[in-house]
Amino acid sequence: LLPLSLPIGCVPVFQYRIGQLYMISKHSHEQSDRGEGVEVVQNEPFEDPDHGQGQFTEKRVYLNSKLPSWARAVVPKIFYVTEKAWNYYPYTVTEYTCSFLPKFSIHIETKYEDNKGSNDNIFDNELKEQEREVCFVDIAYDEIPERYYKESEDLRYFKSQKTSRGILQEGWRDTQDPIMCSYKLVTVKFEVWGLQTRVEQFVHKVIRDVLLLGHRQAFAWVDEWIDMTMDEVREFERNIQEATNQKIGIFPPSISISETSLSSCALTGPASAPSTPMCTDAPESLSVPKDRPRKKSAPETLTLSEP
């Protein structure tokens, strides 16, 4: 289990709800290309008896060329990871599975709070019998892979024209107001002898990079979404999701993002949210080894040691 804390400067929780939806859609579109990227299969509202009204999304992530060389050698040329997400903002649950690797799964719980990452007990109920290793992510000063760097998204120099928020200077977490934090609890499971520790370690690093880049972009794009209403961002989401599906060469029927809440029995929730009823099996969570080195960013390749 790897808890992540990502303080996000200049944005309170109530405003970031729009920014989160905008960022996910635009980021997915930017990272997609012919044959690879993020295909949106389903995006529908539904209501949970405990968490309230939420949004369920199912996506297929095609990423063969982005895998390290050792992984490409053992997986099919064309495969995808299934992402299922239950968004009850400010609480969300996301699960990743792969049909080719039935013993592989990633589970991420997210909670948003208006603080600078100071809530050490936010996941205490989930971790009461397990030791935790907390990783702070600085969206302005942590390194990201060079291939993702854009000067316009460098928060050390970015200032919002509409809100006058920014620049994030050294030590901004202690001085910035408003400020919020995205808390992530990441669980990776890969039960394959000889590869489990290495794969889980690699995936944690990749997830860290993806989260760092996404939250950097959410703030850097604040002038694009700050004036949007929920209806407007849902319309943007629908349009860009259809464009993304076409960009990667998949042409399903038009995606419907309706406003009518579906029954919780129609779209079952994740097994890791105890208050959410289950109708189908979901991947179980398994703690990962805590004795592992940590790096700033994910490597391009992962070299396995000689036996």
Side-chain angles (χ1 to χ4, degrees):
L1 294 176
L2 179 64
L4 297 173
S5 298
L6 295 94
I8 303 170
C10 309
V11 183
V13 169
F14 82 93
Q15 286 184 334
Y16 193 67
R17 184 178 187 181
I18 301 291
Q20 177 207 38
L21 296 173
Y22 183 91
M23 176 269 290
I24 291 173
S25 295
K26 184 174 178 178
H27 175 85
S28 297
H29 187 73
E30 285 192 349
Q31 298 300 315
S32 298
D33 202 349
R34 174 63 57 174
E36 293 201 350
V38 182
E39 173 200 2
V40 180
V41 177
Q42 191 173 2
N43 188 346
E44 299 290 346
F46 77 105
E47 190 165 345
D48 179 85
D50 294 294
H51 297 298
Q53 189 170 0
Q55 192 83 4
F56 171 80
T57 59
E58 180 176 348
K59 302 175 183 178
R60 292 176 180 176
V61 185
Y62 300 85
L63 40 59
N64 187 273
S65 69
K66 296 179 174 62
L67 295 175
S69 58
W70 60 268
R72 292 198 299 270
V74 297
V75 301
K77 187 173 182 180
I78 299 177
F79 86 105
Y80 60 84
V81 172
T82 297
E83 175 194 290
K84 292 184 178 181
W86 294 262
N87 189 340
Y88 314 96
Y89 192 89
Y91 170 68
T92 67
V93 177
T94 308
E95 292 182 347
Y96 298 88
T97 56
C98 178
S99 59
F100 177 72
L101 299 171
K103 295 184 178 181
F104 170 80
S105 67
I106 303 172
H107 173 81
I108 303 175
E109 287 188 70
T110 303
K111 296 182 180 181
Y112 300 92
E113 286 191 348
D114 283 317
N115 56 55
K116 60 181 181 179
S118 54
N119 188 349
D120 295 332
N121 301 314
I122 193 167
F123 290 116
D124 259 7
N125 290 337
E126 295 85 347
L127 296 175
K128 58 184 178 181
E129 296 181 354
Q130 304 177 54
E131 294 188 31
R132 57 186 176 181
E133 176 188 358
V134 179
C135 177
F136 281 93
V137 180
D138 189 322
I139 62 173
Y141 288 88
D142 279 2
E143 296 177 4
I144 64 171
E146 185 177 353
R147 64 186 181 279
Y148 294 137
Y149 178 82
K150 293 183 181 179
E151 185 176 354
S152 61
E153 297 171 1
D154 192 330
L155 305 185
R156 297 173 298 174
Y157 313 110
F158 169 79
K159 184 172 183 177
S160 166
Q161 298 298 313
K162 290 186 177 180
T163 67
S164 298
R165 299 170 185 172
I167 300 170
L168 298 185
Q169 299 179 345
E170 192 76 48
W172 62 272
R173 283 178 51 199
D174 296 322
T175 59
Q176 186 60 53
D177 185 30
I179 188 172
M180 60 164 285
C181 185
S182 172
Y183 294 88
K184 306 276 184 179
L185 179 62
V186 182
T187 305
V188 179
K189 183 190 78 169
F190 186 64
E191 296 179 355
V192 176
W193 184 85
L195 291 176
Q196 178 175 345
T197 300
R198 293 180 176 91
V199 169
E200 291 171 350
Q201 175 187 340
F202 177 79
V203 171
H204 275 304
K205 294 172 184 175
V206 171
I207 291 173
R208 185 188 183 282
D209 280 351
V210 170
L211 294 174
L212 173 59
L213 176 62
H215 289 288
R216 281 169 62 100
Q217 291 176 326
F219 182 31
W221 296 338
V222 63
D223 289 344
E224 301 175 28
W225 57 259
I226 192 67
D227 295 327
M228 280 186 168
T229 64
M230 182 58 69
D231 289 340
E232 290 171 338
V233 78
R234 287 298 184 194
E235 177 67 14
F236 170 82
E237 186 181 45
R238 183 185 67 82
N239 291 335
I240 204 165
Q241 285 173 357
E242 291 181 359
T244 302
N245 285 358
Q246 294 185 26
K247 187 177 181 182
I248 64 176
I250 298 171
F251 304 94
S254 297
I255 300 168
S256 173
I257 303 179
S258 63
E259 297 300 326
T260 303
S261 297
L262 301 180
S263 166
S264 59
C265 292
L267 298 170
T268 58
S272 50
S275 54
T276 305
M278 279 293 298
C279 299
T280 58
D281 293 332
E284 60 179 319
S285 298
L286 185 69
S287 62
V288 299
K290 61 181 180 179
D291 297 327
R292 61 179 185 270
R294 292 163 53 196
K295 297 182 179 179
K296 285 279 186 174
S297 61
E300 293 287 343
T301 61
L302 187 63
T303 303
L304 301 183
S305 59
E306 294 295 331

